[in-house]
Amino acid sequence: MSTGISRMVTDSIVVTKRNLIRMRRLPEAIFFNSVQPVMFVLLFRYVFGGAINTGGEYVNFLIPGILVQTSLFGGAGTAIGLNEDMGKGIIDRFRSLPMARSAVLTGRILADVARNVFVVLLMLAVGTAVGFRFNNGFFPAIAAIAVLLLFGMAFSWMFALVGLSVKTAESAQIASFLPVFPLTFAASTFVPLDSMPGWLQVFARNQPVSHAVNAVRKLTQGSAVQGINLAAEVWLTLAWSGGITIVFATLAIRKYRKVD
Amino acid sequence: MGFVNYRGRVIIVNSSPAPGTPMIEVSGITKAFGSTKALTGVSLTVERGTVLGLLGPNGAGKTTLVRILATLMHPDSGTARINGIDVLAEPQRARGLIGLAGQYAAVDELLTGRENLEMVGRLYGLSRTDSAARANETLERLTLTEAADRPVKTYSGGMRRRLDLGASLVGRPIVLILDEPTTGLDPRTRSELWQFITDLVAQGTTVLLTTQYLEEADVLADRIVVLDRGGIIAEGTADELKAKQGGDVVDVKPVDPDNIPRIAELLSDIAGQPQIDVRTGRVLVPVGDLRGVDVLTTVARMISDSGIELDDLAIRRPSLDDVFLALTGHAAEQTDGGTGATDEETAPSTKRASRRSKRTERAA
């Protein structure tokens, strides 16, 4: 059995390496993926931000939300990449090899985590340029980044299932944004929840993106933000990430394994 | 390690063979997509170190059979064994024995040729050094060494196909499954690949090859299985299949293709049943037991009496094309199958389209 596990690890690393080489050779993909969140930062910082009252510096409220949104949106790359591999026959090649069956998916997702590290650092740089500051010290900041990466990875499994289920890369893109839009906008990402109508607050308060945003906000700002129970938000984010990973990793791997 | 005597040569096979059993054994395979029957009970065997050509028009079921053998698809019923290993029960073991090269180049465009081969080597379970050595050796064999460190997107179609074949060889498979390996290639590249496949077989590899090109089957295959509408309609060596056609044929080509039905009608009582090849605009009259020259003169006289103008009139040995036409009898599909290169070249989209149609069929 240990050979099975070591095969799984080796094969996942081999596939991760392949995906990282692809990213390095196609830098414009990361560039254009980063343009959108930068636009969001500028739009909310300078256009809408003045009208949103959060009771503190809006930029410090905004950037944690942007970071969570960016980690989620990046997962669409998982869906598109897997779908393209299917269309080009690369997945057929992998399936015909005596390799660990889960490695194609784990390799894809690990590469996306690596890309998310890059994108999160980039957005932090952009955020700093427009006035964002860490106000809670070094280690909570590192913890915030870890929460972001874990949360993004959980959603990557959902995107993997999307990518394996749709027929074209275009529909993979659209199908990925469908769940991400309501989750990131009906949340505490850009505006305080109590500005929303009551029925929407019920949803927004209890869905995973709000928990992740709250956790990152509190971890980066500390006592500068009020009314967030740090421990509860972090545990809820971890629980959601774990739950999403278990459900969607199971479904995605089953989908990948299924020979029809 | 084992030794197999192949055509007088002793060769080394890098797996423990079970002598006597065929390398590939397919028995009673059926597969349906919704109401479409892709395979209707196909059985075949391929002996060690030989090439089986699986011949058939588009939609005959060739790719379905290949996908089942390559563990990419489950049949509805039937069994498939490779070197005695049940492909359905032990797919992972079977995968270690096979190399698959697809209809189109399933290699990563952004990776270099070397990176592609090293990746596949690693996924076959080779160590880093072994896969690097294997990649080098494969690149050399396929004369890709010079392009080895360029991204594949800069390769020509023929180079990509060679690399795709190379990727299927890195694991030193004892069975090579080639799904239309030369579709869409220019004649020179095609004959290079043929030579390469011939060399592999001489070294002991067993090959199952699907093709729409009869010439390809003629050149490469020791035995040919003709598949049509999901079932086997003929099998044998190229010569046996040609012999079934009944000796020479008289080949009549009118200037005006509209005259083809009239010619077929006119010549129906001379010798064998005339066959119409719509694609090339010819009528073929099998000579059968008669003397070729007699049939030829009779045909010439009758056509000349009818006043139909001819472009060409000849007596020749039947080609595999003629055999195929006689066997399948439906010229329209033969047109699809025979020229193939045009639509199969754009394989990724074709593939998706076929997936789509499968899905609609299922939904229906």
Side-chain angles (χ1 to χ4, degrees), chain B residues 132-345:
Chain B
R134 214 59 90 69
N136 252 335
E137 171 196 314
T138 310
L139 287 164
E140 208 156 297
R141 270 174 101 178
L142 289 160
T143 58
L144 286 170
T145 307
E146 245 170 78
D149 297 308
R150 285 197 340 238
V152 173
K153 65 178 176 197
T154 65
Y155 285 23
S156 70
M159 288 163 77
R160 262 174 223 225
R161 208 65 76 93
R162 290 212 299 274
L163 185 66
D164 184 46
L165 187 60
S168 68
L169 294 174
V170 179
R172 293 205 183 132
I174 56 173
V175 172
L176 200 53
I177 301 173
L178 305 173
D179 191 13
E180 303 197 2
T182 66
T183 297
L185 291 184
D186 62 78
R188 199 177 64 97
T189 316
R190 178 173 300 164
S191 59
E192 276 172 17
L193 271 184
W194 285 351
Q195 185 55 51
F196 189 74
I197 294 166
T198 310
D199 291 347
L200 280 173
V201 175
Q203 288 154 29
T205 309
T206 306
V207 177
L208 184 125
L209 161 111
T210 80
T211 182
Q212 309 182 29
Y213 301 119
L214 303 147
E215 192 197 348
E216 187 158 283
D218 214 350
V219 171
L220 290 178
D222 297 299
R223 282 179 62 250
I224 294 169
V225 164
V226 183
L227 205 59
D228 189 36
R229 295 176 187 172
I232 292 174
I233 53 171
E235 57 181 305
T237 64
D239 285 339
E240 282 167 9
L241 290 176
K242 286 176 189 171
K244 275 190 197 167
Q245 169 74 11
D248 294 351
V249 289
V250 172
D251 180 334
V252 188
K253 187 174 194 293
V255 172
D256 182 357
D258 290 346
N259 283 324
I260 287 176
R262 237 184 98 202
I263 294 173
E265 174 73 39
L266 205 62
L267 305 179
S268 59
D269 292 330
I270 301 177
Q273 184 61 36
Q275 284 138 21
I276 297 172
D277 188 341
V278 174
R279 186 165 56 94
T280 56
R282 290 165 188 275
V283 178
L284 305 173
V285 185
V287 168
D289 297 335
L290 303 173
R291 260 166 42 104
V293 170
D294 295 342
V295 178
L296 185 66
T297 39
T298 315
V299 168
R301 185 167 39 78
M302 289 181 79
I303 300 279
S304 141
D305 287 350
S306 72
I308 298 171
E309 210 183 333
L310 286 191
D311 194 22
D312 192 17
L313 176 65
I315 181 161
R316 58 178 173 82
R317 302 280 307 153
S319 68
L320 215 44
D321 274 283
D322 306 332
V323 177
F324 191 73
L325 181 67
L327 284 170
T328 60
H330 36 85
E333 277 185 58
Q334 157 72 4
T335 311
D336 276 342
T339 52
T342 46
D343 51 8
E344 295 280 331
E345 246 170 340

Side-chain angles (χ1 to χ4, degrees), chain B residues 11-182:
Chain B
I11 46 150
I12 299 162
V13 179
N14 58 353
S15 150
S16 54
T21 60
M23 189 58 96
I24 302 177
E25 248 182 310
V26 168
S27 173
I29 294 270
T30 66
K31 178 75 186 176
F33 300 108
S35 58
T36 311
K37 293 194 174 88
L39 293 173
T40 59
V42 170
S43 301
L44 56 83
T45 56
V46 187
E47 298 302 327
R48 279 155 207 286
T50 67
V51 181
L52 179 81
L54 201 56
L55 199 61
N58 276 343
K62 304 188 298 287
T63 298
T64 306
L65 188 61
V66 162
R67 291 181 70 81
I68 289 168
L69 272 174
T71 75
L72 302 176
M73 197 183 263
H74 272 305
D76 297 335
S77 64
T79 58
R81 285 173 187 282
I82 290 177
N83 201 26
I85 291 166
D86 187 334
V87 169
L88 303 171
E90 296 184 275
Q92 200 68 350
R93 272 185 79 193
R95 283 178 199 123
L97 303 178
I98 59 165
L100 171 70
Q103 259 180 60
Y104 47 92
V107 283
D108 194 313
E109 298 233 305
L110 293 179
L111 266 55
T112 66
R114 187 190 306 282
E115 285 165 345
N116 266 292
L117 296 186
E118 284 180 356
M119 174 180 75
V120 173
R122 294 284 281 145
L123 296 176
Y124 263 111
L126 299 176
S127 73
R128 200 164 293 149
T129 33
D130 284 351
S131 68
R134 214 59 90 69
N136 252 335
E137 171 196 314
T138 310
L139 287 164
E140 208 156 297
R141 270 174 101 178
L142 289 160
T143 58
L144 286 170
T145 307
E146 245 170 78
D149 297 308
R150 285 197 340 238
V152 173
K153 65 178 176 197
T154 65
Y155 285 23
S156 70
M159 288 163 77
R160 262 174 223 225
R161 208 65 76 93
R162 290 212 299 274
L163 185 66
D164 184 46
L165 187 60
S168 68
L169 294 174
V170 179
R172 293 205 183 132
I174 56 173
V175 172
L176 200 53
I177 301 173
L178 305 173
D179 191 13
E180 303 197 2
T182 66

Side-chain angles (χ1 to χ4, degrees), chain A residues 198-248:
Chain A
W199 57 268
L200 189 56
Q201 279 189 42
V202 175
F203 170 76
R205 213 173 284 286
N206 295 298
Q207 56 112 325
V209 172
S210 288
H211 293 309
V213 171
N214 290 344
V216 173
R217 206 167 268 155
K218 188 75 181 170
L219 282 168
T220 59
Q221 301 307 317
S223 56
V225 287
Q226 300 299 315
I228 292 178
N229 179 341
L230 177 64
E233 296 295 348
V234 169
W235 281 117
L236 280 167
T237 306
L238 296 183
W240 272 105
S241 302
I244 289 168
T245 303
I246 289 167
V247 170
F248 285 101

